[in-house]
Amino acid sequence: MAEQLLIHDDEKLMIQRAYRNLLRSLKDKMTTEDKKNIRQAYELAVQAHSKQRRKSGEPYILHPIEVARICVEEIGLGPTAVVCALLHDVVEDTDVSLGDIKIQFGEKVSKIVDGLTKLDGTYDVEISQAENFRKVLSTLVDDVRVVLIKMADRLHNMRTLGSMARHKQLRIAAETSYIYAPLAHRLGLYNVKTEFQDLSMKITEPDAYHQIAQKLQETKKDRNNYINDFINPLDEELASLNIPYRIIGRPKSIHSIWNKIKVKKIPFEEIYDLFAIRIIVDVPAKQEKSACWQVYSVVTDVFHPIPERLKDWITTAKSNGYESLHTTVIGPKGRYVEVQIRSERMDEIAEKGFAAHWKYKGVKPNGQNVYDNWLDSIRDILDDPDKDALDFINDFKTNLFNEEVYVYTPKGEMKILPKGATALDFAFHIHTEVGYHCSAIKVNNKLVPMGYKIDNGDQIHVTTNKNQKPNEAWLKMVVTSRAKSKIRTALKEDNKKRAEDGKDALIRKMKSMKVDYEEGADFLVKFWGFKSRFELHYAIALGDIDIIHEMKKFSVENGKLMLISQENFIKSDHDLQKTISEKSALLKGKKQPSIFINGEPGDQYNYSLASCCNPLLGDDIFAFITTASGVKIHRTTCPNATNMMANYGYRIMRADWANSSDTEFVADLVITGLDSGPGVIEKLTNKISTSLGYNIRSFSIEGKEGYFEGKVSLIVLNIDQLNLVINSIKSLEGISSVTRVE
Ligand code: MN
């Protein structure tokens, strides 16, 4: 960077104007001390960045000034944040050290600036997303302001991304939508989240973005007319309430419209709720709730409401602090219109989130510690040392970003769990011991499976039994990281104990054979392809390896094990498996398809098709040796495949379909489309069974808001037949998608 980059006079004016603008945004929120600090921070930043320019060519200092302004005006932060925002790139990019900042501005500011500097590495490609998460989250629990200022920084960078190289734009956009948008949502920064999503989409899906933006522009006039038609009759009635209010029609974000187009599979023209009506009342905190319900009453007098769409987040705020009353009504021309009713205070919290929430802390007793709980759960996740990176991201997504469900104990105490949580999660939420010994769960007085997904308002009663303990299957019945890590810990303890038993048995056996235990065990680990002695011991304890029987394959020479004969070993093994295989075939009462395993006819193995992915002739498949139920054949696209391959690679064998087979397979399809009335089922069954001639085993259909989702189980001989069915259903009128269930 050479001398020619020195700042010109006109640029100096621009910088001073930006700075004055920043001060104006703080208005009367500053003490004399604050003013002095901000001035000093500004001067230090101007000095430090004096030789830098941004990619766009403008003086670098405009960036920290703008970030500080966003902190104040768009996120609602105060003077300390402004000082930190002004200094946020100083340590990273210039000669100023953290020590200098500490001396000049004190401990608090230097800590936040330090956090911001550490977060800056998140552009680094070498670092995985999971590690990025960890970094962001650890600074978040130290001081939330670090992340809030980082949001402002990212927002300004996203707004000015145009001058970056395309590949950098893509990377930053991906990271923004992956980490920062959900975090902004969780911190209640609604506007920031929306802008993150829109700006990311503009980069990753430019065509779709511009198309929707253009269509929004083209339809703007019509929409405004419609909004006026909607608002006018309301206005008259609302005025009679004598409550100060304002009413606005807000268009939805491009990203959320795009989502709707993708999820509902309908064109832009068919989306009517492109906007929401918001009615904001200006009343003291004590009258908010009743004022909002009065407004609700007026709205539903004028327009007919859809009762299922009523959402009351005033009585119980969302976990990110959001409070509002939502309803959907049938507006003019029979179109659905979403109406949001809230107070000015609620509106500020809804738009600015965290910082605004702090400002009103204490106004509403039940909203006080929503963030404390959340920060605690982040600490929980950060603290679990056993977690691998993938688990970490999964937990993060389910536990920290999701919406919540509100449920009750038998005594009526409310508990908040992440949406999707199960009855067993609830048991662990109550207490670890309750979880460990949970033997039965009743929801609203009815017995439910432990994996039952709990719903808002459920009253849950857990019965415990001292002899009950967690097993492997429980891991699949929970989603919260707390329950998962507790179950894992219990299983580990349990496995350790079991492995000890297996080890004892092996030691006894080796002793009687006069084989040195250490050497013998290592030999067997290798022979059977285990990863460790622990696994060998464990398999013995589980009975996967019957040592009395298996050890007959070995002779002992000079205290060492020797294999007697490979053939005998395979034969004896298969005799055993064959009987199990015959039994299970009998049980199922249906013929096994012919499959080659490791290149040989598979009937020597006890194999069966996995029920998780229902493979059918023609699918890519592999064989997996289970501990208890022989060999299972899975599709390579099975949702469990990655896990099996990653963790139990040694149990995987090649599998191929034998060329011809007259076995029948069950395949499940999910069909969605426009609900054209009661004829839908008939139309589909006609197509599948009458005109194509396939047998349907079961059919269920569910309609919602003009759409239906149907599940069909049908019987086919191979993948070609299934594809034929899929394609012919797709060609039917009104069908939007046909997918095979993975
Ligand atoms: Mn920056």
Side-chain angles (χ1 to χ4, degrees):
M1 302 273 155
E3 306 308 309
Q4 78 243 33
L5 290 185
L6 281 176
I7 290 167
H8 307 297
D9 283 348
D10 53 338
E11 286 172 341
K12 272 187 190 143
L13 277 176
M14 190 154 71
I15 294 165
Q16 279 159 13
R17 207 177 307 129
Y19 179 64
R20 274 200 303 275
N21 197 20
L22 167 66
L23 291 181
R24 218 172 303 130
S25 72
L26 274 165
K27 272 176 272 169
D28 42 5
K29 286 185 211 147
M30 293 179 290
T31 63
T32 337
E33 180 74 14
D34 291 334
K35 270 184 199 155
K36 199 190 90 203
N37 280 333
I38 292 172
R39 181 84 218 170
Q40 279 185 9
Y42 168 68
E43 275 163 9
L44 179 63
V46 167
Q47 183 57 37
H49 294 300
S50 64
K51 291 189 179 146
Q52 283 176 300
R53 279 171 192 271
R54 303 196 84 209
K55 273 263 149 54
S56 60
E58 60 181 19
Y60 196 89
I61 182 67
L62 287 170
H63 167 65
I65 295 175
E66 181 59 12
V67 171
R69 190 201 58 76
I70 294 174
C71 282
V72 178
E73 288 190 357
E74 301 182 41
I75 300 182
L77 290 167
T80 309
V82 168
V83 171
C84 300
L86 286 171
L87 299 174
H88 84 271
D89 279 334
V90 156
V91 174
E92 176 105 355
D93 300 342
T94 73
D95 303 334
V96 182
S97 78
L98 201 59
D100 301 337
I101 290 181
K102 192 167 167 184
I103 292 165
Q104 210 176 337
F105 299 95
E107 178 84 30
K108 195 161 55 177
V109 169
S110 87
K111 262 200 156 157
I112 296 177
V113 172
D114 187 31
L116 285 163
T117 310
K118 283 186 183 132
L119 271 187
D120 253 355
T122 51
Y123 275 175
D124 201 334
V125 235
E126 299 297 313
I127 298 176
S128 74
Q129 299 272 23
E131 279 168 72
N132 276 347
F133 263 136
R134 232 180 238 280
K135 248 194 195 173
V136 175
L137 291 181
S138 343
T139 48
L140 182 72
V141 293
D142 284 345
D143 189 327
V144 181
R145 276 177 297 186
V146 176
V147 169
L148 292 176
I149 297 167
K150 183 71 195 170
M151 297 270 179
D153 181 28
R154 178 55 61 101
L155 191 55
H156 187 239
N157 285 335
M158 287 293 288
R159 283 175 183 169
T160 53
L161 211 51
S163 355
M164 287 259 189
R166 172 81 181 148
H167 70 281
K168 278 190 185 164
Q169 291 184 356
L170 283 171
R171 206 171 68 218
I172 296 170
E175 197 190 57
T176 302
S177 65
Y178 196 68
I179 301 182
Y180 289 98
L183 251 188
H185 172 72
R186 201 53 192 70
L187 288 166
L189 302 163
Y190 177 80
N191 289 337
V192 175
K193 174 200 83 171
T194 309
E195 197 174 339
F196 274 156
Q197 288 175 330
D198 276 3
L199 291 173
S200 301
M201 182 190 164
K202 196 174 171 183
I203 288 160
T204 52
E205 314 248 14
D207 292 344
Y209 180 90
H210 292 296
Q211 229 173 49
I212 295 173
Q214 195 194 340
K215 283 185 175 168
L216 270 178
Q217 190 57 38
E218 285 165 9
T219 52
K220 195 174 171 187
K221 213 176 137 212
D222 284 348
R223 195 164 47 249
N224 284 342
N225 286 340
Y226 186 87
I227 290 175
N228 283 335
D229 289 348
F230 187 88
I231 288 180
N232 286 339
L234 274 183
D235 250 339
E236 284 168 29
E237 295 294 320
L238 285 172
S240 67
L241 285 179
N242 279 327
I243 297 171
Y245 73 95
R246 56 196 173 96
I247 181 165
I248 43 178
R250 295 197 55 176
K252 296 203 168 154
S253 72
I254 292 182
H255 179 265
S256 71
I257 294 170
W258 174 228
N259 249 349
K260 213 160 242 183
I261 291 175
K262 279 193 300 189
V263 173
K264 296 204 162 174
K265 301 190 172 72
I266 47 174
F268 179 91
E269 287 70 24
E270 282 171 37
I271 300 177
Y272 292 118
D273 51 346
L274 291 167
F275 62 91
I277 298 290
R278 188 175 299 166
I279 304 170
I280 304 158
V281 293
D282 191 3
V283 293
K286 272 191 178 159
Q287 292 157 31
E288 287 175 337
K289 191 171 171 180
S290 69
C292 288
W293 283 105
Q294 272 178 288
V295 170
Y296 172 80
S297 162
V298 166
V299 171
T300 52
D301 279 345
V302 178
F303 297 109
H304 193 72
I306 315 282
E308 321 69 276
R309 299 276 195 93
L310 173 64
K311 301 249 168 64
D312 173 12
W313 283 306
I314 291 183
T315 309
T316 316
K318 278 193 188 182
S319 55
N320 62 4
Y322 183 86
E323 293 170 71
S324 192
L325 201 57
H326 287 198
T327 182
T328 297
V329 298
I330 302 175
K333 298 183 195 166
R335 294 183 190 167
Y336 285 13
V337 176
E338 184 185 318
V339 182
Q340 306 165 347
I341 304 164
R342 54 175 79 153
S343 69
E344 292 286 355
R345 178 191 63 87
M346 296 172 190
D347 194 52
E348 192 178 343
I349 290 176
E351 305 234 307
K352 287 186 182 159
F354 190 85
H357 194 87
W358 261 177
K359 182 174 142 192
Y360 291 110
K361 200 178 171 180
V363 172
K364 272 196 86 171
N366 79 346
Q368 240 182 58
N369 54 9
V370 288
Y371 284 107
D372 294 345
N373 288 342
W374 185 59
L375 292 174
D376 278 347
S377 59
I378 295 182
R379 282 186 197 104
D380 271 359
I381 291 187
L382 287 170
D383 282 348
D384 189 346
D386 290 340
K387 201 157 284 171
D388 67 31
L390 263 177
D391 279 345
F392 180 72
I393 288 187
N394 279 338
D395 278 354
F396 189 80
K397 291 253 173 195
T398 5
N399 290 283
L400 302 179
F401 287 163
N402 267 7
E403 303 276 317
E404 264 103 11
V405 285
Y406 300 85
V407 294
Y408 299 89
T409 67
K411 286 183 182 156
E413 200 185 330
M414 189 175 79
K415 300 281 173 193
I416 305 178
L417 280 96
K419 198 170 186 172
T422 65
L424 190 54
D425 278 312
F426 175 84
F428 275 95
H429 187 81
I430 297 292
H431 195 278
T432 308
E433 287 300 310
V434 175
Y436 279 159
H437 302 301
C438 165
S439 61
I441 302 175
K442 275 184 179 173
V443 170
N444 306 328
N445 272 326
K446 261 189 228 140
L447 216 52
V448 298
M450 289 190 188
Y452 165 88
K453 274 199 175 34
I454 56 177
D455 209 350
N456 277 325
D458 279 349
Q459 190 168 51
I460 307 174
H461 182 246
V462 180
T463 312
T464 55
N465 176 336
K466 263 195 302 201
N467 299 323
Q468 176 74 295
K469 58 178 187 177
N471 60 51
E472 206 55 56
W474 282 25
L475 281 173
K476 290 199 178 130
M477 298 179 201
V478 296
V479 300
T480 61
S481 52
R482 183 190 165 80
K484 264 191 202 151
S485 79
K486 296 289 177 197
I487 294 171
R488 271 194 217 113
T489 314
L491 289 177
K492 232 194 244 166
E493 279 306 304
D494 209 43
N495 290 351
K496 241 190 236 162
K497 266 188 223 140
R498 285 206 194 195
E500 282 303 312
D501 294 344
K503 185 178 176 184
D504 288 346
L506 186 62
I507 290 176
R508 278 196 303 274
K509 184 70 194 168
M510 298 283 210
K511 234 181 202 163
S512 73
M513 290 174 79
K514 302 207 163 38
V515 176
D516 173 49
Y517 163 74
E518 303 279 325
E519 215 169 306
D522 287 340
F523 172 84
L524 292 175
V525 165
K526 246 192 219 151
F527 181 79
W528 280 311
F530 288 109
K531 277 187 194 156
S532 63
R533 279 193 208 169
F534 179 86
E535 280 192 7
L536 170 68
H537 298 150
Y538 188 63
I540 293 171
L542 284 185
D544 280 358
I545 288 184
D546 172 358
I547 38 170
I548 311 271
H549 175 81
E550 295 292 326
M551 296 306 279
K552 286 181 188 152
K553 294 167 192 164
F554 305 101
S555 63
V556 182
E557 276 172 43
N558 302 328
K560 283 181 182 168
L561 288 174
M562 299 286 282
L563 188 63
I564 299 172
S565 148
Q566 183 89 24
E567 273 159 41
N568 284 349
F569 154 59
I570 290 172
K571 191 161 177 297
S572 64
D573 219 30
H574 293 155
D575 284 347
L576 183 77
Q577 290 196 328
K578 206 161 182 181
T579 48
I580 306 172
S581 156
E582 277 159 7
K583 256 192 242 159
S584 71
L586 265 178
L587 273 176
K588 283 189 169 166
K590 92 182 177 190
K591 209 163 62 177
Q592 281 287 9
S594 309
I595 287 172
F596 282 90
I597 293 174
N598 272 353
E600 291 184 43
D603 17 301
Q604 45 184 321
Y605 294 91
N606 160 32
Y607 71 84
S608 54
L609 301 181
S611 55
C612 49
C613 54
N614 281 330
L616 63 89
L617 183 60
D619 280 328
D620 267 344
I621 47 172
F622 66 91
F624 183 75
I625 310 165
T626 68
T627 49
S629 45
V631 174
K632 290 275 182 202
I633 306 297
H634 291 264
R635 278 154 70 187
T636 45
T637 55
C638 174
N640 300 322
T642 344
N643 179 36
M644 288 186 277
M645 293 188 187
N647 293 316
Y648 307 101
Y650 57 94
R651 293 198 193 161
I652 295 207
M653 294 188 290
R654 199 180 114 200
D656 306 283
W657 299 101
N659 265 343
S660 69
S661 166
D662 51 359
T663 317
E664 293 177 329
F665 296 88
V666 178
D668 296 324
L669 296 179
V670 172
I671 304 169
T672 64
L674 280 175
D675 193 354
S676 49
V680 177
I681 295 192
E682 209 188 311
K683 194 165 71 179
L684 287 169
T685 48
N686 251 339
K687 186 76 196 177
I688 299 169
S689 51
T690 318
S691 70
L692 296 172
Y694 292 103
N695 279 328
I696 293 177
R697 253 198 5 172
S698 67
F699 197 137
S700 67
I701 196 159
E702 216 181 302
K704 44 189 172 189
E705 296 160 27
Y707 282 81
F708 76 86
E709 188 177 294
K711 290 203 177 74
V712 185
S713 241
L714 71 159
I715 294 171
V716 292
L717 290 179
N718 55 45
I719 187 83
D720 297 333
Q721 294 191 341
L722 184 68
N723 285 335
L724 176 78
V725 175
I726 291 178
N727 287 331
S728 12
I729 302 177
K730 267 189 185 158
S731 68
L732 290 175
E733 201 187 327
I735 300 293
S736 6
S737 74
V738 184
T739 33
R740 180 170 172 203
V741 179
E742 288 287 352

